Amino acid sequence: MAYYRSVGDVPRTRHTQHRDPEGRLRFEELMGEEGFSSDSSLLYHRGVPSAIVASEVWEPADQRTAPNHPLAPRHLRLHDLRTGSDAVVDRRLVLGNADVRISYVVTGTEPSAYYRDAVGDECVFVEAGSGVVETVFGVVPYRAGDYVLLPRATTHRWVPAEPSRLYCVEANGHVAPPKRYLSRYGQLLEHAPYCERDLHGPTEPLLVDGTDVEVLVKHRTSAGVVGTRLVHDMHPFDVVGWDGCLYPYTFNIEDFMPITGKVHQPPPVHQVFEGPRFVVCNFLPRKVDYHPLAVPVPYYHSNVDSDEVMFYVAGDYEARKGSGIGLGSISLHPGGHAHGPQPSTIEASLGVERFEESAVMVDTFAPLELGEGGLACEDPDYAWSWAGRRL
Ligand SMILES: [Fe+2]
């Protein structure tokens, strides 16, 4: 995020003495990406950010995956999935590969564990619910339709004000607006479907007193994604001020301005973020194609280099009507299999002027495998929905 923010109490000159009213030095921490060569922020702590007093194994939820073999398009009903209520530890893995993991959780109203993901950024889509995410940078409110972007290694916890349905995309690296929408200096350009005004970061510091505070850290070893429980000497929320271009923020789908055309526009116009070897797009209520002979639903397509995951959030997803897909569904359309509209929807869409659908799409460049949560809520008949029969 090349979009500078300054929050709270920071010294006039970086890397100089910064003292509290009693004369005690603050402890400066640079949190930076790509080894001092990309976006960063400077944080000013009351305590020493490195001070830990214990480290022990934490077992994250089951991260194992099963290959999509024999190859088939899949339909997963996330609303049938029962989860525990902690926004962090009770996520169930739905789909994943070596680059990205998609999990789902329905929270209660109690705060989650303190947590940071040292594997990569998290991009959490809020399907329903509201609350705040408390972070080392300050508080970020969230509501339905938000993407909550949490940079790698950001200590935080979720504090739902109401039960929240969270669709969690965990990356191996950084998630950011598509490069083609950025100026060479990082400003969002005029043809981008959103701008900096639509991104909402913390506005004031969050200071909490405490000692011996447990933080769950997700990280990577040669054995894959693992977890460690670190105990911090002082509460990690002790930052009196920070500034820079690296921080958590939210973006709501209602602020995404869909790009439409005379004939069908391809999915990249719906892109909202990109991560390492995956993209995030959203299909939102919009006017559709206005050529007099336009076919508003998509053509069949074979994404030869990617797997496509659609998460159906609101409205009626026109192209898959009649296939069993409903709200809370995921479809996985893998590379090696052409997919497209339910045949009956093609004629039905002719002359339609608006689609009222909301769906979030993740396209990955490596094949996805099924997590235990995905296997637990699969509709076994979906693969045959285009043909209407099975051998
Ligand atoms: Fe597609």
Side-chain angles (χ1 to χ4, degrees):
M1 262 318 296
Y3 176 35
Y4 175 82
R5 289 180 81 90
S6 179
V7 168
D9 183 19
V10 299
R12 181 177 177 280
T13 303
R14 62 181 174 167
H15 316 322
T16 59
Q17 294 173 34
H18 187 37
R19 295 182 185 276
D20 70 11
E22 284 72 47
R24 290 172 296 210
L25 272 176
R26 308 291 197 195
F27 299 95
E28 184 184 52
E29 175 197 13
L30 180 112
M31 193 168 157
E33 296 176 345
E34 298 178 21
F36 302 92
S37 301
S38 187
D39 295 344
S40 65
S41 286
L42 286 166
L43 294 77
Y44 295 89
H45 293 265
R46 295 193 295 201
V48 176
S50 332
I52 53 172
V53 295
S55 170
E56 59 190 43
V57 170
W58 160 55
E59 298 284 355
D62 189 349
Q63 298 289 301
R64 290 172 299 176
T65 56
N68 184 10
H69 185 215
L71 186 71
R74 307 278 182 154
H75 171 202
L76 315 176
R77 300 181 196 269
L78 294 194
H79 286 184
D80 289 350
L81 206 55
R82 296 289 163 257
T83 75
S85 59
D86 185 296
V88 170
V89 301
D90 290 325
R91 295 175 184 180
R92 293 185 69 176
L93 185 66
V94 176
L95 294 165
N97 62 23
D99 304 317
V100 62
R101 293 152 297 284
I102 299 173
S103 59
Y104 189 69
V105 63
V106 185
T107 77
T109 52
E110 71 281 16
S112 76
Y114 290 104
Y115 167 66
R116 57 179 173 266
D117 186 337
V119 180
D121 292 0
E122 294 196 353
C123 174
V124 177
F125 179 75
V126 180
E127 180 195 0
S130 64
V132 300
V133 184
E134 296 175 350
T135 83
V136 70
F137 294 91
V139 173
V140 181
Y142 73 84
R143 63 190 170 101
D146 272 347
Y147 295 96
V148 181
L149 275 290
L150 293 153
R152 182 188 238 163
T154 298
T155 305
H156 66 278
R157 71 171 183 171
W158 290 78
V159 186
E162 55 184 333
S164 302
R165 292 182 171 275
L166 305 178
Y167 182 75
C168 311
V169 179
E170 299 178 11
N172 279 4
H174 303 302
V175 179
K179 281 192 187 66
R180 68 180 183 283
Y181 289 140
L182 300 174
S183 77
R184 61 184 167 135
Y185 299 115
Q187 184 179 7
L188 283 157
L189 294 166
E190 271 298 304
H191 70 284
Y194 58 95
C195 73
E196 285 83 357
R197 213 176 283 182
D198 305 316
L199 309 178
H200 306 286
T203 56
E204 55 189 36
L206 172 64
L207 292 165
V208 181
D209 291 321
T211 57
D212 298 346
V213 178
E214 287 188 358
V215 178
L216 304 180
V217 182
K218 198 176 281 176
H219 59 109
R220 183 183 287 279
T221 69
S222 57
V225 174
V226 297
T228 293
R229 179 182 289 104
L230 293 179
V231 180
H232 282 240
D233 181 31
M234 283 185 61
H235 202 294
F237 295 167
D238 69 342
V239 172
V240 299
W242 61 270
D243 76 337
C245 295
L246 180 68
Y247 49 84
Y249 63 92
T250 62
F251 170 70
N252 195 280
I253 54 172
E254 74 183 20
D255 294 322
F256 187 94
M257 300 298 148
I259 296 167
T260 58
K262 191 169 180 178
V263 294
H264 190 79
Q265 296 296 292
V269 303
H270 304 288
Q271 190 182 349
V272 59
F273 297 114
E274 63 187 14
R277 293 174 56 74
F278 73 91
V279 298
V280 181
C281 304
N282 39 216
F283 298 83
L284 298 171
R286 62 192 183 279
K287 288 193 169 182
V288 289
D289 324 331
Y290 50 88
H291 188 287
L293 296 177
V295 179
V297 292
Y299 32 78
Y300 293 91
H301 47 287
S302 184
N303 299 339
V304 298
D305 292 322
S306 56
D307 276 17
E308 177 186 303
V309 184
M310 293 283 276
F311 176 43
Y312 303 88
V313 173
D316 256 344
Y317 195 75
E318 297 289 337
R320 298 301 297 131
K321 262 184 188 168
S323 67
I325 295 281
L327 295 185
S329 289
I330 275 185
S331 60
L332 166 64
H333 294 143
H337 171 260
H339 68 274
Q342 198 65 5
S344 60
T345 66
I346 302 174
E347 283 280 1
S349 76
L350 303 181
V352 167
E353 295 194 350
R354 277 188 68 82
F355 281 174
E356 296 298 339
E357 64 203 20
S358 295
V360 170
M361 182 175 86
V362 176
D363 268 19
T364 66
F365 298 125
L368 282 161
E369 301 197 338
L370 291 139
E372 61 79 26
L375 290 167
C377 63
E378 183 171 12
D379 160 14
D381 298 325
Y382 179 69
W384 335 114
S385 60
W386 288 271
R389 68 186 185 92
R390 179 182 186 180
L391 269 185

